[in-house]
């Protein structure tokens, strides 16, 4: 992998690219449920827990970070006497309920210079590995968003440099339509009137990869009875928010830039609108009028 970043940070990015390969190799082994739930009440797949352990154990062994927060853990893990002060936020296996039907899933990572209970704008790097027909790695260290593809020898090659989100007409809307709040319903109606095509797979990382390359908007809004939405601020919204923002797009909770929000707990959730600037401006305008 080639990129012009600090040696220690590069080492950490390479750690995740190597362990992404290990995670992908696990898909043949266990596609069943673990019989337990995570702190959000979601059923954990055996692979969720396994991927979580692979990454945590690897980070503990290399002592390459001080803080580890993952979607599968209820507390932040602090490593004793680490080599670096970095903090990492990890969604080990996003979209894991789709593994048994062979749809694309991914690993999402955000890297902070220190503690992770900080606004997303403090991140120094964010990346995701997407396990689809190809295994790809999308990365930003603040100098553009780049795509790498894994070849048959397990080496990641740069395939797209300085990606900018194009103007596109795709929308990926989560939540139940019957529970839409009025402003969100108006937003969706406006996109549909403009001819936006529906593309929602149930895997945030896969849906966002499509939006990054084809343009448009992903949204998992607040809805009736679930006003705070579903997706995790630390593990999903922030790393993906940094990537889409560095690609010239944006991420909003409908009112403000998500990357400016200081989390008060690792399990914070947030409504999400992530994609093109035009669509973000539209939802924020509609919400201001509401
Ligand atoms: O991690 C949460 C997640 O699986 C995302 O990957 C995805 O966008 C969303 O939940 C799907 O939620 P739902 O099953 O409610 O459509
Ligand atoms: Mn997830």
């Amino acid at each position: 992998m080639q990129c012009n970043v600090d040696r220690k940070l590069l080492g950490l990015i390479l750690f995740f690219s190597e362990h992404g390969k290990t995670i992908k190799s696990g898909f043949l082994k266990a596609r069943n449920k673990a019989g337990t739930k995570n702190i959000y009440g979601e059923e954990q797949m055996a692979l969720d827990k396994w991927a979580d352990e692979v990454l945590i154990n690897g980070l503990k062994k290399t002592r390459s970070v001080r803080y580890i927060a993952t979607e599968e853990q209820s507390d932040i893990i602090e490593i004793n006497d680490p080599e670096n002060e970095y903090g990492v936020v990890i969604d080990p296996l996003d979209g894991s309920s789709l593994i048994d039907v062979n749809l694309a899933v991914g690993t999402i990572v955000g890297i902070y210079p220190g503690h992770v209970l900080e606004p997303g704008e403090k991140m120094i790097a964010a990346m995701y590995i997407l396990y689809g027909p190809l295994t790809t790695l999308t990365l930003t260290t603040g100098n553009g968003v780049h795509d790498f593809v894994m070849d048959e020898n397990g080496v990641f090659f740069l395939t797209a440099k300085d990606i900018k989100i194009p103007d596109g007409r795709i929308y990926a809307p989560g939540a139940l339509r019957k529970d839409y709040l009025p402003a969100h319903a108006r937003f969706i109606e406006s996109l549909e009137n403009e001819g936006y095509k529906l593309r929602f797979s149930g895997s945030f990382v896969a849906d966002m990869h499509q939006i990054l390359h084809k343009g448009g908007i992903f949204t998992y809004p607040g809805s009736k009875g679930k006003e705070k939405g579903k997706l995790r601020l630390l593990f999903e919204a922030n790393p993906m928010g940094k990537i889409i923002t560095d690609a010239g797009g944006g991420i909003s909770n409908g009112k403000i830039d998500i990357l400016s929000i200081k989390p008060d707990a690792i399990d914070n959730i947030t409504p999400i609108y992530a994609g093109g600037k035009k669509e973000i401006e539209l939802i924020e305008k509609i919400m201001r009028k509401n």
Side-chain angles (χ1 to χ4, degrees):
M1 191 192 300
Q2 326 149 347
C3 52
N4 213 358
V5 292
D6 175 86
R7 197 178 46 82
K8 287 180 172 179
L9 181 57
L10 182 59
L12 187 53
I13 291 164
L14 289 173
F15 167 90
F16 285 108
S17 71
E18 282 303 311
H19 286 72
K21 283 189 242 169
T22 311
I23 291 172
K24 170 129 197 186
S25 73
F27 293 158
L28 274 176
K29 291 182 202 139
R31 296 186 296 275
N32 51 317
K33 296 186 171 79
T36 50
K37 291 192 171 167
N38 66 14
I39 52 169
Y40 310 91
E42 290 170 338
E43 190 128 44
Q44 288 175 306
M45 307 294 288
L47 272 169
D48 278 321
K49 295 186 79 172
W50 177 76
D52 194 46
E53 279 165 23
V54 165
L55 294 171
I56 292 174
N57 292 341
L59 287 167
K60 280 184 174 166
K61 208 163 150 193
T62 56
R63 296 186 5 265
S64 47
V65 302
R66 180 177 286 280
Y67 303 104
I68 309 169
T70 87
E71 199 177 290
E72 305 302 327
Q73 301 289 324
S74 48
D75 296 302
I76 297 173
I77 298 168
E78 187 169 350
I79 309 263
N80 281 332
D81 193 24
E83 300 266 331
N84 308 308
E85 290 303 312
Y86 297 129
V88 285
V89 287
I90 308 170
D91 182 349
L93 213 40
D94 178 65
S96 58
S97 67
L98 299 177
I99 289 171
D100 53 358
V101 289
N102 197 25
L103 287 178
V105 299
T107 298
I108 309 173
V109 179
I111 304 175
Y112 289 81
H115 206 275
V116 296
L117 279 184
E118 292 292 340
E121 62 202 10
K122 293 256 168 81
M123 259 178 294
I124 51 172
M127 61 194 278
Y128 60 79
I129 303 169
L130 179 61
Y131 314 105
L134 296 171
T135 298
T136 61
L137 189 157
T138 301
L139 167 72
T140 175
T141 56
N143 291 312
V145 176
H146 314 300
D147 263 355
F148 301 81
V149 174
M150 194 173 85
D151 72 4
E152 63 277 16
N153 301 315
V155 178
F156 281 98
F157 277 94
L158 182 67
T159 48
K161 210 177 159 192
D162 205 8
I163 301 161
K164 293 291 173 212
I165 179 171
D167 194 16
R169 291 191 178 183
I170 286 178
Y171 74 126
L176 299 181
R177 188 178 279 262
K178 73 176 180 59
D179 295 332
Y180 282 177
L181 299 173
H184 181 74
R186 279 205 295 284
F187 174 64
I188 294 295
E189 194 188 342
S190 159
L191 298 180
E192 287 170 350
N193 289 340
E194 292 285 323
Y196 279 61
K197 279 191 185 172
L198 179 68
R199 295 283 187 272
F200 188 83
S201 73
S203 165
F204 177 55
V205 68
D207 290 337
M208 280 304 300
H209 192 64
Q210 181 163 197
I211 299 289
L212 173 68
H213 283 276
K214 297 189 175 168
I217 188 92
F218 173 96
T219 166
Y220 207 110
S223 58
K224 277 180 215 151
K226 293 183 183 161
E227 281 73 9
K228 289 189 174 161
K230 172 179 182 189
L231 297 198
R232 276 53 62 143
L233 174 62
L234 266 79
F235 310 112
E236 292 165 325
N238 277 338
M240 204 56 88
K242 177 164 176 64
I243 290 168
I244 203 77
T245 301
D246 287 357
I251 187 160
S252 172
N253 63 5
K255 294 183 176 134
I256 57 167
D257 185 344
I258 284 181
L259 295 177
S260 70
I261 299 171
K262 183 163 168 59
D264 51 33
I266 63 166
D267 61 351
N268 283 174
I269 53 174
T270 177
I272 285 188
Y273 296 84
K277 276 209 171 114
K278 184 178 65 175
E279 291 83 1
I280 301 281
E281 277 162 21
L282 177 62
I283 181 61
E284 290 188 348
K285 190 170 142 206
I286 294 176
M287 286 222 178
R288 270 195 303 275
K289 277 195 195 150
N290 206 34

